[in-house]
Amino acid sequence: DQQVKQNSPSLSVQEGRISILNCDYTNSMFDYFLWYKKYPAEGPTFLISISSIKDKNEDGRFTVFLNKSAKHLSLHIVPSQPGDSAVYFCAARATGANSKLTFGKGITLSVRP
Amino acid sequence: DVKVTQSSRYLVKRTGEKVFLECVQDMDHENMFWYRQDPGLGLRLIYFSYDVKMKEKGDIPEGYSVSREKKERFSLILESASTNQTSMYLCASSLEGAGTEAFFGQGTRLTVV
């Protein structure tokens, strides 16, 4: 049973436009959410996170929104750049889970010049 | 900066071999993890450890074991490698507690022939 779902496997956007990557979860015990970015043949790198007590967190071009009632979060990248082309993973952690992260399947973002 | 180092970037092993994947972190993190990444399946947790000599099974532990004799080192062992264990293996570490992200190594691409 997949607890973190990234239902769209890929997204293509024009350089300079907004990229919106979506993530849904089913476990109501999740209280911390993270986004990771991964290039081919490299390990994932941490991008941005949000606690369940917030509904928005912003870091430069990246903003994560959390809608707890809908069990939905999204990552907005504005403006999108070609270097943002990568696989993006949504991850979540439950309270008291020894910091174990549960990941989604990932979304491949392509930013066209 | 946190550094998580995996001993090999690429490995080719034969079916039935015993395989050791080594991971070392330099930031005194309590938690260490082993994930595998496969196309269309995202990152799946194999095993994790929250202290020396402590380990817990993740979502897909079958065919694997782990060892954590020192805080900085976490080893993944494939007891008898099979072709369905061909994958990208990712080690990560994190501090214990809320609001902490996991840091990943560069990954080991294992091919079992």
Side-chain angles (χ1 to χ4, degrees), chain A residues 98, chain B residues 30 32 46-58 64-69 74-75 77 79:
Chain A
N98 282 328
Chain B
E30 294 89 355
M32 296 190 75
I46 305 171
Y47 266 97
F48 70 102
S49 169
Y50 51 89
D51 202 351
V52 175
K53 296 190 186 294
M54 305 301 289
K55 60 185 178 184
E56 285 198 25
K57 294 180 180 179
Y64 303 94
S65 62
V66 290
S67 173
R68 192 166 182 201
E69 297 296 319
F74 192 35
S75 303
I77 304 153
E79 298 292 341

mmCIF file with all atom_site columns, all heavy atoms in Angstrom, chain A residues 98, chain B residues 30 32 46-58 64-69 74-75 77 79:
data_model
loop_
_atom_site.group_PDB
_atom_site.id
_atom_site.type_symbol
_atom_site.label_atom_id
_atom_site.label_alt_id
_atom_site.label_comp_id
_atom_site.label_asym_id
_atom_site.label_entity_id
_atom_site.label_seq_id
_atom_site.pdbx_PDB_ins_code
_atom_site.Cartn_x
_atom_site.Cartn_y
_atom_site.Cartn_z
_atom_site.occupancy
_atom_site.B_iso_or_equiv
_atom_site.pdbx_formal_charge
_atom_site.auth_seq_id
_atom_site.auth_comp_id
_atom_site.auth_asym_id
_atom_site.auth_atom_id
_atom_site.pdbx_PDB_model_num
ATOM 1   N N   . ASN A 1 98 ? 11.395 7.067   14.298 1.00 0.00 ? 98 ASN A N   1
ATOM 2   C CA  . ASN A 1 98 ? 12.850 7.011   14.224 1.00 0.00 ? 98 ASN A CA  1
ATOM 3   C C   . ASN A 1 98 ? 13.383 7.671   12.967 1.00 0.00 ? 98 ASN A C   1
ATOM 4   O O   . ASN A 1 98 ? 14.332 7.185   12.367 1.00 0.00 ? 98 ASN A O   1
ATOM 5   C CB  . ASN A 1 98 ? 13.344 5.572   14.299 1.00 0.00 ? 98 ASN A CB  1
ATOM 6   C CG  . ASN A 1 98 ? 13.332 5.050   15.723 1.00 0.00 ? 98 ASN A CG  1
ATOM 7   O OD1 . ASN A 1 98 ? 13.538 5.800   16.667 1.00 0.00 ? 98 ASN A OD1 1
ATOM 8   N ND2 . ASN A 1 98 ? 13.073 3.783   15.873 1.00 0.00 ? 98 ASN A ND2 1
ATOM 9   N N   . GLU B 2 30 ? 22.762 9.666   14.362 1.00 0.00 ? 30 GLU B N   1
ATOM 10  C CA  . GLU B 2 30 ? 22.289 8.438   15.005 1.00 0.00 ? 30 GLU B CA  1
ATOM 11  C C   . GLU B 2 30 ? 21.686 7.458   13.993 1.00 0.00 ? 30 GLU B C   1
ATOM 12  O O   . GLU B 2 30 ? 21.865 6.254   14.122 1.00 0.00 ? 30 GLU B O   1
ATOM 13  C CB  . GLU B 2 30 ? 21.208 8.765   16.049 1.00 0.00 ? 30 GLU B CB  1
ATOM 14  C CG  . GLU B 2 30 ? 21.693 9.564   17.249 1.00 0.00 ? 30 GLU B CG  1
ATOM 15  C CD  . GLU B 2 30 ? 21.616 11.065  17.034 1.00 0.00 ? 30 GLU B CD  1
ATOM 16  O OE1 . GLU B 2 30 ? 21.279 11.516  15.918 1.00 0.00 ? 30 GLU B OE1 1
ATOM 17  O OE2 . GLU B 2 30 ? 21.895 11.798  17.998 1.00 0.00 ? 30 GLU B OE2 1
ATOM 18  N N   . MET B 2 32 ? 20.870 5.708   10.326 1.00 0.00 ? 32 MET B N   1
ATOM 19  C CA  . MET B 2 32 ? 21.396 5.391   8.988  1.00 0.00 ? 32 MET B CA  1
ATOM 20  C C   . MET B 2 32 ? 20.418 4.468   8.286  1.00 0.00 ? 32 MET B C   1
ATOM 21  O O   . MET B 2 32 ? 19.722 3.683   8.932  1.00 0.00 ? 32 MET B O   1
ATOM 22  C CB  . MET B 2 32 ? 22.789 4.779   9.073  1.00 0.00 ? 32 MET B CB  1
ATOM 23  C CG  . MET B 2 32 ? 23.830 5.747   9.650  1.00 0.00 ? 32 MET B CG  1
ATOM 24  S SD  . MET B 2 32 ? 25.525 5.170   9.509  1.00 0.00 ? 32 MET B SD  1
ATOM 25  C CE  . MET B 2 32 ? 25.851 5.436   7.748  1.00 0.00 ? 32 MET B CE  1
ATOM 26  N N   . ILE B 2 46 ? 15.138 -0.546  2.714  1.00 0.00 ? 46 ILE B N   1
ATOM 27  C CA  . ILE B 2 46 ? 15.522 -1.943  2.929  1.00 0.00 ? 46 ILE B CA  1
ATOM 28  C C   . ILE B 2 46 ? 15.688 -2.203  4.429  1.00 0.00 ? 46 ILE B C   1
ATOM 29  O O   . ILE B 2 46 ? 15.052 -3.083  5.000  1.00 0.00 ? 46 ILE B O   1
ATOM 30  C CB  . ILE B 2 46 ? 16.830 -2.266  2.182  1.00 0.00 ? 46 ILE B CB  1
ATOM 31  C CG1 . ILE B 2 46 ? 16.707 -1.935  0.688  1.00 0.00 ? 46 ILE B CG1 1
ATOM 32  C CG2 . ILE B 2 46 ? 17.193 -3.748  2.353  1.00 0.00 ? 46 ILE B CG2 1
ATOM 33  C CD1 . ILE B 2 46 ? 18.018 -2.016  -0.072 1.00 0.00 ? 46 ILE B CD1 1
ATOM 34  N N   . TYR B 2 47 ? 16.568 -1.445  5.042  1.00 0.00 ? 47 TYR B N   1
ATOM 35  C CA  . TYR B 2 47 ? 16.832 -1.546  6.483  1.00 0.00 ? 47 TYR B CA  1
ATOM 36  C C   . TYR B 2 47 ? 17.210 -0.172  7.002  1.00 0.00 ? 47 TYR B C   1
ATOM 37  O O   . TYR B 2 47 ? 17.717 0.666   6.251  1.00 0.00 ? 47 TYR B O   1
ATOM 38  C CB  . TYR B 2 47 ? 18.017 -2.490  6.768  1.00 0.00 ? 47 TYR B CB  1
ATOM 39  C CG  . TYR B 2 47 ? 17.669 -3.919  7.059  1.00 0.00 ? 47 TYR B CG  1
ATOM 40  C CD1 . TYR B 2 47 ? 17.735 -4.874  6.045  1.00 0.00 ? 47 TYR B CD1 1
ATOM 41  C CD2 . TYR B 2 47 ? 17.311 -4.330  8.343  1.00 0.00 ? 47 TYR B CD2 1
ATOM 42  C CE1 . TYR B 2 47 ? 17.431 -6.206  6.301  1.00 0.00 ? 47 TYR B CE1 1
ATOM 43  C CE2 . TYR B 2 47 ? 17.004 -5.669  8.603  1.00 0.00 ? 47 TYR B CE2 1
ATOM 44  C CZ  . TYR B 2 47 ? 17.068 -6.596  7.575  1.00 0.00 ? 47 TYR B CZ  1
ATOM 45  O OH  . TYR B 2 47 ? 16.782 -7.913  7.830  1.00 0.00 ? 47 TYR B OH  1
ATOM 46  N N   . PHE B 2 48 ? 17.015 0.046   8.295  1.00 0.00 ? 48 PHE B N   1
ATOM 47  C CA  . PHE B 2 48 ? 17.573 1.224   8.921  1.00 0.00 ? 48 PHE B CA  1
ATOM 48  C C   . PHE B 2 48 ? 18.066 0.898   10.322 1.00 0.00 ? 48 PHE B C   1
ATOM 49  O O   . PHE B 2 48 ? 17.729 -0.131  10.897 1.00 0.00 ? 48 PHE B O   1
ATOM 50  C CB  . PHE B 2 48 ? 16.596 2.402   8.899  1.00 0.00 ? 48 PHE B CB  1
ATOM 51  C CG  . PHE B 2 48 ? 15.392 2.253   9.789  1.00 0.00 ? 48 PHE B CG  1
ATOM 52  C CD1 . PHE B 2 48 ? 15.323 2.911   11.005 1.00 0.00 ? 48 PHE B CD1 1
ATOM 53  C CD2 . PHE B 2 48 ? 14.310 1.496   9.373  1.00 0.00 ? 48 PHE B CD2 1
ATOM 54  C CE1 . PHE B 2 48 ? 14.202 2.803   11.806 1.00 0.00 ? 48 PHE B CE1 1
ATOM 55  C CE2 . PHE B 2 48 ? 13.179 1.375   10.170 1.00 0.00 ? 48 PHE B CE2 1
ATOM 56  C CZ  . PHE B 2 48 ? 13.129 2.030   11.384 1.00 0.00 ? 48 PHE B CZ  1
ATOM 57  N N   . SER B 2 49 ? 18.888 1.805   10.817 1.00 0.00 ? 49 SER B N   1
ATOM 58  C CA  . SER B 2 49 ? 19.505 1.626   12.133 1.00 0.00 ? 49 SER B CA  1
ATOM 59  C C   . SER B 2 49 ? 19.458 2.945   12.874 1.00 0.00 ? 49 SER B C   1
ATOM 60  O O   . SER B 2 49 ? 19.808 3.985   12.319 1.00 0.00 ? 49 SER B O   1
ATOM 61  C CB  . SER B 2 49 ? 20.958 1.169   11.965 1.00 0.00 ? 49 SER B CB  1
ATOM 62  O OG  . SER B 2 49 ? 21.648 1.233   13.198 1.00 0.00 ? 49 SER B OG  1
ATOM 63  N N   . TYR B 2 50 ? 19.028 2.921   14.113 1.00 0.00 ? 50 TYR B N   1
ATOM 64  C CA  . TYR B 2 50 ? 18.936 4.148   14.898 1.00 0.00 ? 50 TYR B CA  1
ATOM 65  C C   . TYR B 2 50 ? 19.990 4.212   16.001 1.00 0.00 ? 50 TYR B C   1
ATOM 66  O O   . TYR B 2 50 ? 20.004 5.138   16.812 1.00 0.00 ? 50 TYR B O   1
ATOM 67  C CB  . TYR B 2 50 ? 17.526 4.347   15.469 1.00 0.00 ? 50 TYR B CB  1
ATOM 68  C CG  . TYR B 2 50 ? 16.987 3.153   16.200 1.00 0.00 ? 50 TYR B CG  1
ATOM 69  C CD1 . TYR B 2 50 ? 17.211 2.989   17.555 1.00 0.00 ? 50 TYR B CD1 1
ATOM 70  C CD2 . TYR B 2 50 ? 16.251 2.185   15.525 1.00 0.00 ? 50 TYR B CD2 1
ATOM 71  C CE1 . TYR B 2 50 ? 16.720 1.891   18.228 1.00 0.00 ? 50 TYR B CE1 1
ATOM 72  C CE2 . TYR B 2 50 ? 15.761 1.069   16.185 1.00 0.00 ? 50 TYR B CE2 1
ATOM 73  C CZ  . TYR B 2 50 ? 15.997 0.932   17.536 1.00 0.00 ? 50 TYR B CZ  1
ATOM 74  O OH  . TYR B 2 50 ? 15.503 -0.159  18.188 1.00 0.00 ? 50 TYR B OH  1
ATOM 75  N N   . ASP B 2 51 ? 20.853 3.201   16.041 1.00 0.00 ? 51 ASP B N   1
ATOM 76  C CA  . ASP B 2 51 ? 21.939 3.210   17.018 1.00 0.00 ? 51 ASP B CA  1
ATOM 77  C C   . ASP B 2 51 ? 22.894 2.070   16.666 1.00 0.00 ? 51 ASP B C   1
ATOM 78  O O   . ASP B 2 51 ? 22.536 1.147   15.926 1.00 0.00 ? 51 ASP B O   1
ATOM 79  C CB  . ASP B 2 51 ? 21.393 3.040   18.434 1.00 0.00 ? 51 ASP B CB  1
ATOM 80  C CG  . ASP B 2 51 ? 22.346 3.548   19.505 1.00 0.00 ? 51 ASP B CG  1
ATOM 81  O OD1 . ASP B 2 51 ? 23.503 3.880   19.165 1.00 0.00 ? 51 ASP B OD1 1
ATOM 82  O OD2 . ASP B 2 51 ? 21.928 3.624   20.669 1.00 0.00 ? 51 ASP B OD2 1
ATOM 83  N N   . VAL B 2 52 ? 24.060 2.119   17.258 1.00 0.00 ? 52 VAL B N   1
ATOM 84  C CA  . VAL B 2 52 ? 25.022 1.040   17.027 1.00 0.00 ? 52 VAL B CA  1
ATOM 85  C C   . VAL B 2 52 ? 24.402 -0.297  17.432 1.00 0.00 ? 52 VAL B C   1
ATOM 86  O O   . VAL B 2 52 ? 23.749 -0.406  18.467 1.00 0.00 ? 52 VAL B O   1
ATOM 87  C CB  . VAL B 2 52 ? 26.309 1.307   17.827 1.00 0.00 ? 52 VAL B CB  1
ATOM 88  C CG1 . VAL B 2 52 ? 27.278 0.139   17.701 1.00 0.00 ? 52 VAL B CG1 1
ATOM 89  C CG2 . VAL B 2 52 ? 26.969 2.585   17.355 1.00 0.00 ? 52 VAL B CG2 1
ATOM 90  N N   . LYS B 2 53 ? 24.598 -1.273  16.579 1.00 0.00 ? 53 LYS B N   1
ATOM 91  C CA  . LYS B 2 53 ? 24.108 -2.639  16.773 1.00 0.00 ? 53 LYS B CA  1
ATOM 92  C C   . LYS B 2 53 ? 22.582 -2.751  16.752 1.00 0.00 ? 53 LYS B C   1
ATOM 93  O O   . LYS B 2 53 ? 22.045 -3.838  16.975 1.00 0.00 ? 53 LYS B O   1
ATOM 94  C CB  . LYS B 2 53 ? 24.661 -3.256  18.063 1.00 0.00 ? 53 LYS B CB  1
ATOM 95  C CG  . LYS B 2 53 ? 26.180 -3.422  18.058 1.00 0.00 ? 53 LYS B CG  1
ATOM 96  C CD  . LYS B 2 53 ? 26.659 -4.244  19.223 1.00 0.00 ? 53 LYS B CD  1
ATOM 97  C CE  . LYS B 2 53 ? 28.169 -4.276  19.305 1.00 0.00 ? 53 LYS B CE  1
ATOM 98  N NZ  . LYS B 2 53 ? 28.770 -4.988  18.166 1.00 0.00 ? 53 LYS B NZ  1
ATOM 99  N N   . MET B 2 54 ? 21.879 -1.667  16.502 1.00 0.00 ? 54 MET B N   1
ATOM 100 C CA  . MET B 2 54 ? 20.419 -1.714  16.418 1.00 0.00 ? 54 MET B CA  1
ATOM 101 C C   . MET B 2 54 ? 20.021 -1.644  14.947 1.00 0.00 ? 54 MET B C   1
ATOM 102 O O   . MET B 2 54 ? 20.612 -0.892  14.161 1.00 0.00 ? 54 MET B O   1
ATOM 103 C CB  . MET B 2 54 ? 19.786 -0.545  17.175 1.00 0.00 ? 54 MET B CB  1
ATOM 104 C CG  . MET B 2 54 ? 20.214 -0.431  18.615 1.00 0.00 ? 54 MET B CG  1
ATOM 105 S SD  . MET B 2 54 ? 19.831 -1.903  19.580 1.00 0.00 ? 54 MET B SD  1
ATOM 106 C CE  . MET B 2 54 ? 18.055 -1.773  19.683 1.00 0.00 ? 54 MET B CE  1
ATOM 107 N N   . LYS B 2 55 ? 19.021 -2.430  14.591 1.00 0.00 ? 55 LYS B N   1
ATOM 108 C CA  . LYS B 2 55 ? 18.557 -2.408  13.215 1.00 0.00 ? 55 LYS B CA  1
ATOM 109 C C   . LYS B 2 55 ? 17.068 -2.723  13.175 1.00 0.00 ? 55 LYS B C   1
ATOM 110 O O   . LYS B 2 55 ? 16.551 -3.410  14.058 1.00 0.00 ? 55 LYS B O   1
ATOM 111 C CB  . LYS B 2 55 ? 19.332 -3.410  12.360 1.00 0.00 ? 55 LYS B CB  1
ATOM 112 C CG  . LYS B 2 55 ? 19.185 -4.844  12.837 1.00 0.00 ? 55 LYS B CG  1
ATOM 113 C CD  . LYS B 2 55 ? 20.058 -5.787  12.040 1.00 0.00 ? 55 LYS B CD  1
ATOM 114 C CE  . LYS B 2 55 ? 19.917 -7.212  12.568 1.00 0.00 ? 55 LYS B CE  1
ATOM 115 N NZ  . LYS B 2 55 ? 20.820 -8.162  11.872 1.00 0.00 ? 55 LYS B NZ  1
ATOM 116 N N   . GLU B 2 56 ? 16.425 -2.215  12.146 1.00 0.00 ? 56 GLU B N   1
ATOM 117 C CA  . GLU B 2 56 ? 15.018 -2.536  11.930 1.00 0.00 ? 56 GLU B CA  1
ATOM 118 C C   . GLU B 2 56 ? 14.775 -2.771  10.455 1.00 0.00 ? 56 GLU B C   1
ATOM 119 O O   . GLU B 2 56 ? 15.382 -2.105  9.602  1.00 0.00 ? 56 GLU B O   1
ATOM 120 C CB  . GLU B 2 56 ? 14.102 -1.393  12.410 1.00 0.00 ? 56 GLU B CB  1
ATOM 121 C CG  . GLU B 2 56 ? 13.972 -1.322  13.913 1.00 0.00 ? 56 GLU B CG  1
ATOM 122 C CD  . GLU B 2 56 ? 12.778 -0.503  14.353 1.00 0.00 ? 56 GLU B CD  1
ATOM 123 O OE1 . GLU B 2 56 ? 11.808 -0.386  13.577 1.00 0.00 ? 56 GLU B OE1 1
ATOM 124 O OE2 . GLU B 2 56 ? 12.816 0.008   15.480 1.00 0.00 ? 56 GLU B OE2 1
ATOM 125 N N   . LYS B 2 57 ? 13.893 -3.695  10.171 1.00 0.00 ? 57 LYS B N   1
ATOM 126 C CA  . LYS B 2 57 ? 13.550 -3.975  8.784  1.00 0.00 ? 57 LYS B CA  1
ATOM 127 C C   . LYS B 2 57 ? 12.742 -2.829  8.207  1.00 0.00 ? 57 LYS B C   1
ATOM 128 O O   . LYS B 2 57 ? 11.910 -2.223  8.888  1.00 0.00 ? 57 LYS B O   1
ATOM 129 C CB  . LYS B 2 57 ? 12.732 -5.271  8.688  1.00 0.00 ? 57 LYS B CB  1
ATOM 130 C CG  . LYS B 2 57 ? 13.516 -6.516  9.072  1.00 0.00 ? 57 LYS B CG  1
ATOM 131 C CD  . LYS B 2 57 ? 12.652 -7.746  8.964  1.00 0.00 ? 57 LYS B CD  1
ATOM 132 C CE  . LYS B 2 57 ? 13.443 -9.002  9.348  1.00 0.00 ? 57 LYS B CE  1
ATOM 133 N NZ  . LYS B 2 57 ? 12.615 -10.228 9.265  1.00 0.00 ? 57 LYS B NZ  1
ATOM 134 N N   . GLY B 2 58 ? 13.026 -2.572  6.938  1.00 0.00 ? 58 GLY B N   1
ATOM 135 C CA  . GLY B 2 58 ? 12.223 -1.610  6.206  1.00 0.00 ? 58 GLY B CA  1
ATOM 136 C C   . GLY B 2 58 ? 11.114 -2.319  5.457  1.00 0.00 ? 58 GLY B C   1
ATOM 137 O O   . GLY B 2 58 ? 10.571 -3.329  5.918  1.00 0.00 ? 58 GLY B O   1
ATOM 138 N N   . TYR B 2 64 ? 18.417 -9.442  2.157  1.00 0.00 ? 64 TYR B N   1
ATOM 139 C CA  . TYR B 2 64 ? 19.428 -8.498  2.639  1.00 0.00 ? 64 TYR B CA  1
ATOM 140 C C   . TYR B 2 64 ? 19.631 -8.660  4.144  1.00 0.00 ? 64 TYR B C   1
ATOM 141 O O   . TYR B 2 64 ? 18.735 -9.115  4.853  1.00 0.00 ? 64 TYR B O   1
ATOM 142 C CB  . TYR B 2 64 ? 19.002 -7.053  2.380  1.00 0.00 ? 64 TYR B CB  1
ATOM 143 C CG  . TYR B 2 64 ? 18.706 -6.709  0.953  1.00 0.00 ? 64 TYR B CG  1
ATOM 144 C CD1 . TYR B 2 64 ? 17.401 -6.775  0.464  1.00 0.00 ? 64 TYR B CD1 1
ATOM 145 C CD2 . TYR B 2 64 ? 19.707 -6.291  0.078  1.00 0.00 ? 64 TYR B CD2 1
ATOM 146 C CE1 . TYR B 2 64 ? 17.110 -6.451  -0.853 1.00 0.00 ? 64 TYR B CE1 1
ATOM 147 C CE2 . TYR B 2 64 ? 19.419 -5.960  -1.234 1.00 0.00 ? 64 TYR B CE2 1
ATOM 148 C CZ  . TYR B 2 64 ? 18.115 -6.047  -1.685 1.00 0.00 ? 64 TYR B CZ  1
ATOM 149 O OH  . TYR B 2 64 ? 17.821 -5.711  -2.993 1.00 0.00 ? 64 TYR B OH  1
ATOM 150 N N   . SER B 2 65 ? 20.808 -8.273  4.601  1.00 0.00 ? 65 SER B N   1
ATOM 151 C CA  . SER B 2 65 ? 21.054 -8.090  6.023  1.00 0.00 ? 65 SER B CA  1
ATOM 152 C C   . SER B 2 65 ? 21.933 -6.847  6.172  1.00 0.00 ? 65 SER B C   1
ATOM 153 O O   . SER B 2 65 ? 22.431 -6.310  5.183  1.00 0.00 ? 65 SER B O   1
ATOM 154 C CB  . SER B 2 65 ? 21.727 -9.318  6.644  1.00 0.00 ? 65 SER B CB  1
ATOM 155 O OG  . SER B 2 65 ? 22.997 -9.543  6.054  1.00 0.00 ? 65 SER B OG  1
ATOM 156 N N   . VAL B 2 66 ? 22.086 -6.393  7.410  1.00 0.00 ? 66 VAL B N   1
ATOM 157 C CA  . VAL B 2 66 ? 22.874 -5.189  7.655  1.00 0.00 ? 66 VAL B CA  1
ATOM 158 C C   . VAL B 2 66 ? 23.741 -5.386  8.894  1.00 0.00 ? 66 VAL B C   1
ATOM 159 O O   . VAL B 2 66 ? 23.512 -6.283  9.700  1.00 0.00 ? 66 VAL B O   1
ATOM 160 C CB  . VAL B 2 66 ? 21.991 -3.931  7.843  1.00 0.00 ? 66 VAL B CB  1
ATOM 161 C CG1 . VAL B 2 66 ? 21.322 -3.514  6.547  1.00 0.00 ? 66 VAL B CG1 1
ATOM 162 C CG2 . VAL B 2 66 ? 20.985 -4.146  8.959  1.00 0.00 ? 66 VAL B CG2 1
ATOM 163 N N   . SER B 2 67 ? 24.712 -4.507  8.995  1.00 0.00 ? 67 SER B N   1
ATOM 164 C CA  . SER B 2 67 ? 25.604 -4.518  10.152 1.00 0.00 ? 67 SER B CA  1
ATOM 165 C C   . SER B 2 67 ? 25.960 -3.094  10.513 1.00 0.00 ? 67 SER B C   1
ATOM 166 O O   . SER B 2 67 ? 26.319 -2.302  9.634  1.00 0.00 ? 67 SER B O   1
ATOM 167 C CB  . SER B 2 67 ? 26.875 -5.307  9.825  1.00 0.00 ? 67 SER B CB  1
ATOM 168 O OG  . SER B 2 67 ? 27.831 -5.198  10.866 1.00 0.00 ? 67 SER B OG  1
ATOM 169 N N   . ARG B 2 68 ? 25.876 -2.786  11.808 1.00 0.00 ? 68 ARG B N   1
ATOM 170 C CA  . ARG B 2 68 ? 26.321 -1.467  12.278 1.00 0.00 ? 68 ARG B CA  1
ATOM 171 C C   . ARG B 2 68 ? 27.102 -1.677  13.572 1.00 0.00 ? 68 ARG B C   1
ATOM 172 O O   . ARG B 2 68 ? 26.554 -1.651  14.661 1.00 0.00 ? 68 ARG B O   1
ATOM 173 C CB  . ARG B 2 68 ? 25.154 -0.522  12.498 1.00 0.00 ? 68 ARG B CB  1
ATOM 174 C CG  . ARG B 2 68 ? 25.641 0.916   12.689 1.00 0.00 ? 68 ARG B CG  1
ATOM 175 C CD  . ARG B 2 68 ? 24.539 1.889   12.569 1.00 0.00 ? 68 ARG B CD  1
ATOM 176 N NE  . ARG B 2 68 ? 25.007 3.259   12.705 1.00 0.00 ? 68 ARG B NE  1
ATOM 177 C CZ  . ARG B 2 68 ? 24.208 4.256   13.041 1.00 0.00 ? 68 ARG B CZ  1
ATOM 178 N NH1 . ARG B 2 68 ? 22.918 4.046   13.258 1.00 0.00 ? 68 ARG B NH1 1
ATOM 179 N NH2 . ARG B 2 68 ? 24.688 5.481   13.139 1.00 0.00 ? 68 ARG B NH2 1
ATOM 180 N N   . GLU B 2 69 ? 28.399 -1.863  13.419 1.00 0.00 ? 69 GLU B N   1
ATOM 181 C CA  . GLU B 2 69 ? 29.290 -2.078  14.554 1.00 0.00 ? 69 GLU B CA  1
ATOM 182 C C   . GLU B 2 69 ? 29.834 -0.766  15.104 1.00 0.00 ? 69 GLU B C   1
ATOM 183 O O   . GLU B 2 69 ? 30.209 -0.676  16.280 1.00 0.00 ? 69 GLU B O   1
ATOM 184 C CB  . GLU B 2 69 ? 30.450 -2.992  14.144 1.00 0.00 ? 69 GLU B CB  1
ATOM 185 C CG  . GLU B 2 69 ? 30.001 -4.388  13.730 1.00 0.00 ? 69 GLU B CG  1
ATOM 186 C CD  . GLU B 2 69 ? 29.356 -5.135  14.876 1.00 0.00 ? 69 GLU B CD  1
ATOM 187 O OE1 . GLU B 2 69 ? 29.869 -5.049  16.016 1.00 0.00 ? 69 GLU B OE1 1
ATOM 188 O OE2 . GLU B 2 69 ? 28.331 -5.810  14.659 1.00 0.00 ? 69 GLU B OE2 1
ATOM 189 N N   . PHE B 2 74 ? 27.639 1.803   8.208  1.00 0.00 ? 74 PHE B N   1
ATOM 190 C CA  . PHE B 2 74 ? 26.450 0.957   8.071  1.00 0.00 ? 74 PHE B CA  1
ATOM 191 C C   . PHE B 2 74 ? 26.628 0.140   6.804  1.00 0.00 ? 74 PHE B C   1
ATOM 192 O O   . PHE B 2 74 ? 26.762 0.698   5.714  1.00 0.00 ? 74 PHE B O   1
ATOM 193 C CB  . PHE B 2 74 ? 25.204 1.841   7.988  1.00 0.00 ? 74 PHE B CB  1
ATOM 194 C CG  . PHE B 2 74 ? 23.889 1.134   8.127  1.00 0.00 ? 74 PHE B CG  1
ATOM 195 C CD1 . PHE B 2 74 ? 23.735 0.030   8.965  1.00 0.00 ? 74 PHE B CD1 1
ATOM 196 C CD2 . PHE B 2 74 ? 22.766 1.587   7.446  1.00 0.00 ? 74 PHE B CD2 1
ATOM 197 C CE1 . PHE B 2 74 ? 22.511 -0.593  9.116  1.00 0.00 ? 74 PHE B CE1 1
ATOM 198 C CE2 . PHE B 2 74 ? 21.530 0.963   7.589  1.00 0.00 ? 74 PHE B CE2 1
ATOM 199 C CZ  . PHE B 2 74 ? 21.404 -0.126  8.427  1.00 0.00 ? 74 PHE B CZ  1
ATOM 200 N N   . SER B 2 75 ? 26.645 -1.159  6.943  1.00 0.00 ? 75 SER B N   1
ATOM 201 C CA  . SER B 2 75 ? 26.906 -2.042  5.813  1.00 0.00 ? 75 SER B CA  1
ATOM 202 C C   . SER B 2 75 ? 25.645 -2.789  5.407  1.00 0.00 ? 75 SER B C   1
ATOM 203 O O   . SER B 2 75 ? 24.880 -3.240  6.256  1.00 0.00 ? 75 SER B O   1
ATOM 204 C CB  . SER B 2 75 ? 27.993 -3.060  6.177  1.00 0.00 ? 75 SER B CB  1
ATOM 205 O OG  . SER B 2 75 ? 29.175 -2.407  6.584  1.00 0.00 ? 75 SER B OG  1
ATOM 206 N N   . ILE B 2 77 ? 24.393 -6.108  3.257  1.00 0.00 ? 77 ILE B N   1
ATOM 207 C CA  . ILE B 2 77 ? 24.926 -7.385  2.805  1.00 0.00 ? 77 ILE B CA  1
ATOM 208 C C   . ILE B 2 77 ? 23.864 -8.115  1.992  1.00 0.00 ? 77 ILE B C   1
ATOM 209 O O   . ILE B 2 77 ? 22.728 -8.279  2.454  1.00 0.00 ? 77 ILE B O   1
ATOM 210 C CB  . ILE B 2 77 ? 25.359 -8.251  4.002  1.00 0.00 ? 77 ILE B CB  1
ATOM 211 C CG1 . ILE B 2 77 ? 26.371 -7.476  4.855  1.00 0.00 ? 77 ILE B CG1 1
ATOM 212 C CG2 . ILE B 2 77 ? 25.951 -9.583  3.526  1.00 0.00 ? 77 ILE B CG2 1
ATOM 213 C CD1 . ILE B 2 77 ? 26.385 -7.865  6.302  1.00 0.00 ? 77 ILE B CD1 1
ATOM 214 N N   . GLU B 2 79 ? 23.192 -11.595 0.865  1.00 0.00 ? 79 GLU B N   1
ATOM 215 C CA  . GLU B 2 79 ? 23.697 -12.909 1.276  1.00 0.00 ? 79 GLU B CA  1
ATOM 216 C C   . GLU B 2 79 ? 24.032 -13.791 0.071  1.00 0.00 ? 79 GLU B C   1
ATOM 217 O O   . GLU B 2 79 ? 25.022 -14.496 0.067  1.00 0.00 ? 79 GLU B O   1
ATOM 218 C CB  . GLU B 2 79 ? 22.678 -13.594 2.177  1.00 0.00 ? 79 GLU B CB  1
ATOM 219 C CG  . GLU B 2 79 ? 22.394 -12.842 3.478  1.00 0.00 ? 79 GLU B CG  1
ATOM 220 C CD  . GLU B 2 79 ? 23.593 -12.835 4.426  1.00 0.00 ? 79 GLU B CD  1
ATOM 221 O OE1 . GLU B 2 79 ? 24.493 -13.678 4.261  1.00 0.00 ? 79 GLU B OE1 1
ATOM 222 O OE2 . GLU B 2 79 ? 23.627 -11.987 5.344  1.00 0.00 ? 79 GLU B OE2 1
#
